[in-house]
Structures are given as C-alpha cells and as structure tokens.
Amino acid sequence: MSDNKKLKNYDDLPLVLDVSDIRRIMGISRASAYELVHTPGFPAFRSGRLIKVSKKAFFDWMAKGVGNVQEQ
C-alpha cells in the first residue's frame, strides 16, 4: 500500500498487510513496527523475504488486546 494513500476505513486496507501498513495503522516508527512483527504471538508470516500479516488476523490480534500496557 502506498505510504501517501490515506487510510479512511477498514475496507481501504489490502487483505494482506505489510510492515509499512502496520506502521501507518498503529502510528508507530518503522523500527517499532519491525519489533512488533517479531513479537511472539503476533500473527505475521513470511512470504520470501517479506513479512506479511493477514488484515483479519491483525485486527483480531488488536481486539484481543495482546500486549496491553500493564498498570503500575
């Protein structure tokens, strides 16, 4: 997905996301996005050298609140 294209809703996203899409959706840095996709339990898979994430699996993962910030 082009970095210049605005995300307006869920349907604007491709079925398979890449690290750049994850970065834009979450509003995080490139380095943080790569750290996230390598986190155990994150629903990423490899397609050759590329790291991909199913749109549905990503939003299901977010809905579960995996990796919630713990209260102190």
Side-chain angles (χ1 to χ4, degrees):
M1 172 174 262
S2 170
D3 280 344
N4 296 330
K5 186 175 179 183
K6 281 234 180 226
L7 299 176
K8 295 179 184 170
N9 62 43
Y10 180 85
D11 294 328
D12 287 342
L13 296 169
L15 290 176
V16 179
L17 308 173
D18 59 24
V19 175
S20 178
D21 295 325
I22 300 299
R23 180 189 63 77
R24 290 176 52 229
I25 292 165
M26 298 196 67
I28 59 178
S29 71
R30 183 176 181 266
S32 293
Y34 275 99
E35 185 176 327
L36 178 63
V37 298
H38 287 99
T39 301
F42 188 81
F45 62 92
R46 287 200 173 269
S47 175
R49 292 181 9 175
L50 303 175
I51 298 170
K52 300 291 185 172
V53 181
S54 156
K55 174 171 73 170
K56 181 181 180 328
F58 173 70
F59 282 95
D60 288 349
W61 174 84
M62 281 188 22
K64 288 179 186 173
V66 177
N68 280 344
V69 176
Q70 295 179 358
E71 293 184 29
Q72 295 181 355

